[in-house]
Amino acid sequence: MRAAVMTAYEQPLTIETVPDPACPPDGVVVAVRATGVCRSDWHGWMGHDPSIALPHVPGHELCGVVAEVGSAVRGWEPGARVTVPFCCGCGICEPCRLGETQICERDFQPGFTAWGSFAEYVALPRADLNLVAVPDELGDVEAASLGCRFMTAWAALHVHGQVRAGEWVAVHGCGGVGLAAVMIATAAGARVIAVDIDPAKLERARALGAEHAVAEEPVAAIRELTGGGAHVSIDALGLPVTCTNSIRSLRRRGRHVQVGLLLGDARSVALPMARVIAHELRVFGVHGMAVRHYDGMLRAIASGALRPGELVAKTISLDEVGDELASMGRFAQEGVSVVAL
Ligand SMILES: [Zn+2]
Ligand SMILES: [Zn+2]
């Protein structure tokens, strides 16, 4: 098969012909039709991810068609169009047994712990647990764009934040996952306040349904606009300042969801815990989404209430994926890029 192979960190990926993946007995081989390019791929390419062993094939946001089925698989046949969450479960550990595959103790992450989907084929284990059928209403590129940022934003709002119609939702940081959160919260009937320092991103957020756009002094502005604070607030960027701003912009009993990854020196952030206690705030982390929550999200998309395709900025070929990855360190992304095979 053709694959985009990483043989050294920070060096261009090379398109090579490599052996087709072997099908695991409990898994499948998927013929990749589309695969998203994500900032976590860039981190892997930079050498920030210890789970990657070289040579390596990145890619974790995929949509494809089942090409081969392992002998122990019960629920899938060749020809099924599928996606998977970026964090697949083992099915055996305690979180998996509770249905929380996204925090599996022995997780399988295509494109990190094994070769991923920047290739014509990708092998995926534990197919009966991890595979998700893609409804006909979704195109391949659209389905690939769900697997990481979009489904994390859905989980932040619906699984953790428990957003309800009429509530105020503040979104701190309007990159890919932030804009997905704006779209999802708006579709849920919430009133959205978008926060970013970039006017172009705020413009996008408004177009996707944000009622207010705030560039400066977000805590004071949000408390003023909402008459006391947001019900749900999301740090979609992952900086100490956006994290604490998000918590401080909540009303009493409000829910903060940390979506943006806190990396390097930001791994330990000093939180305003006195306020968390006094106002009974709730603070959640989110690490993707369990397989069992896909259904609600896919129904919302199939009904037309959500349009993840609008967040896809461009479609590229497999030959262009190396340049796309390298450019992520130089430019802020204009939205999600997806490779079509
Ligand atoms: Zn597990
Ligand atoms: Zn991703």
Side-chain angles (χ1 to χ4, degrees), residues 37-41 60-61 86 112 147-149:
V37 187
C38 174
R39 198 154 186 92
S40 14
D41 296 316
H60 59 279
E61 308 179 358
F86 69 83
F112 297 99
C148 182
R149 289 156 286 193

Short mmCIF file of all heavy atoms in Angstrom, two decimals, residues 37-41 60-61 86 112 147-149, ligand 2:
data_model
loop_
_atom_site.label_atom_id
_atom_site.label_comp_id
_atom_site.label_asym_id
_atom_site.label_seq_id
_atom_site.Cartn_x
_atom_site.Cartn_y
_atom_site.Cartn_z
N VAL A 37 -6.07 15.96 9.27
CA VAL A 37 -4.74 16.34 9.74
C VAL A 37 -4.94 17.23 10.95
O VAL A 37 -5.66 18.22 10.89
CB VAL A 37 -3.96 17.11 8.65
CG1 VAL A 37 -2.53 17.35 9.09
CG2 VAL A 37 -4.00 16.36 7.33
N CYS A 38 -4.29 16.86 12.05
CA CYS A 38 -4.62 17.46 13.34
C CYS A 38 -3.37 17.96 14.03
O CYS A 38 -2.26 17.52 13.74
CB CYS A 38 -5.29 16.37 14.19
SG CYS A 38 -5.65 16.79 15.88
N ARG A 39 -3.55 18.87 14.95
CA ARG A 39 -2.41 19.40 15.69
C ARG A 39 -1.69 18.31 16.49
O ARG A 39 -0.49 18.39 16.70
CB ARG A 39 -2.85 20.54 16.61
CG ARG A 39 -1.70 21.36 17.02
CD ARG A 39 -2.01 22.80 17.39
NE ARG A 39 -0.75 23.48 17.62
CZ ARG A 39 -0.08 24.14 16.69
NH1 ARG A 39 -0.57 24.27 15.49
NH2 ARG A 39 1.08 24.70 16.96
N SER A 40 -2.42 17.28 16.93
CA SER A 40 -1.69 16.20 17.65
C SER A 40 -0.79 15.42 16.70
O SER A 40 0.22 14.88 17.14
CB SER A 40 -2.62 15.26 18.43
OG SER A 40 -3.93 15.39 18.08
N ASP A 41 -1.12 15.35 15.40
CA ASP A 41 -0.19 14.76 14.43
C ASP A 41 1.09 15.60 14.37
O ASP A 41 2.19 15.07 14.26
CB ASP A 41 -0.80 14.70 13.03
CG ASP A 41 -2.02 13.80 12.97
OD1 ASP A 41 -1.96 12.70 13.54
OD2 ASP A 41 -3.03 14.21 12.36
N HIS A 60 -5.17 9.77 12.56
CA HIS A 60 -6.09 9.19 13.56
C HIS A 60 -7.54 9.64 13.38
O HIS A 60 -8.40 9.24 14.14
CB HIS A 60 -5.62 9.54 14.98
CG HIS A 60 -5.54 11.03 15.22
ND1 HIS A 60 -4.47 11.78 14.81
CD2 HIS A 60 -6.40 11.89 15.81
CE1 HIS A 60 -4.67 13.04 15.16
NE2 HIS A 60 -5.84 13.14 15.76
N GLU A 61 -7.83 10.51 12.39
CA GLU A 61 -9.20 10.98 12.20
C GLU A 61 -9.67 10.42 10.87
O GLU A 61 -9.50 11.04 9.84
CB GLU A 61 -9.24 12.51 12.18
CG GLU A 61 -8.56 13.15 13.37
CD GLU A 61 -8.58 14.67 13.33
OE1 GLU A 61 -9.10 15.25 12.36
OE2 GLU A 61 -8.07 15.28 14.27
N PHE A 86 -10.48 8.57 18.24
CA PHE A 86 -9.01 8.53 18.19
C PHE A 86 -8.44 7.65 19.30
O PHE A 86 -7.33 7.17 19.20
CB PHE A 86 -8.42 9.95 18.25
CG PHE A 86 -8.59 10.66 19.56
CD1 PHE A 86 -7.72 10.42 20.61
CD2 PHE A 86 -9.61 11.58 19.75
CE1 PHE A 86 -7.86 11.09 21.82
CE2 PHE A 86 -9.76 12.25 20.95
CZ PHE A 86 -8.89 11.99 21.99
N PHE A 112 -0.59 6.80 16.60
CA PHE A 112 0.28 7.08 17.76
C PHE A 112 0.86 5.77 18.29
O PHE A 112 2.03 5.50 18.12
CB PHE A 112 -0.48 7.84 18.85
CG PHE A 112 -0.94 9.19 18.39
CD1 PHE A 112 -2.25 9.39 17.96
CD2 PHE A 112 -0.05 10.26 18.34
CE1 PHE A 112 -2.65 10.61 17.48
CE2 PHE A 112 -0.45 11.49 17.86
CZ PHE A 112 -1.76 11.66 17.44
N GLY A 147 -13.60 12.75 14.03
CA GLY A 147 -12.97 11.75 14.90
C GLY A 147 -12.18 12.27 16.06
O GLY A 147 -11.77 11.50 16.91
N CYS A 148 -11.97 13.57 16.14
CA CYS A 148 -11.07 14.07 17.19
C CYS A 148 -11.62 15.35 17.77
O CYS A 148 -12.26 15.35 18.81
CB CYS A 148 -9.69 14.24 16.56
SG CYS A 148 -8.43 14.80 17.68
N ARG A 149 -11.45 16.47 17.07
CA ARG A 149 -11.84 17.75 17.64
C ARG A 149 -13.35 17.89 17.76
O ARG A 149 -13.88 18.33 18.79
CB ARG A 149 -11.28 18.90 16.79
CG ARG A 149 -9.79 19.02 16.93
CD ARG A 149 -9.14 19.67 15.76
NE ARG A 149 -9.07 18.80 14.60
CZ ARG A 149 -8.34 19.02 13.52
NH1 ARG A 149 -7.62 20.12 13.44
NH2 ARG A 149 -8.33 18.18 12.51
ZN ZN B 2 -6.82 14.88 16.22
#
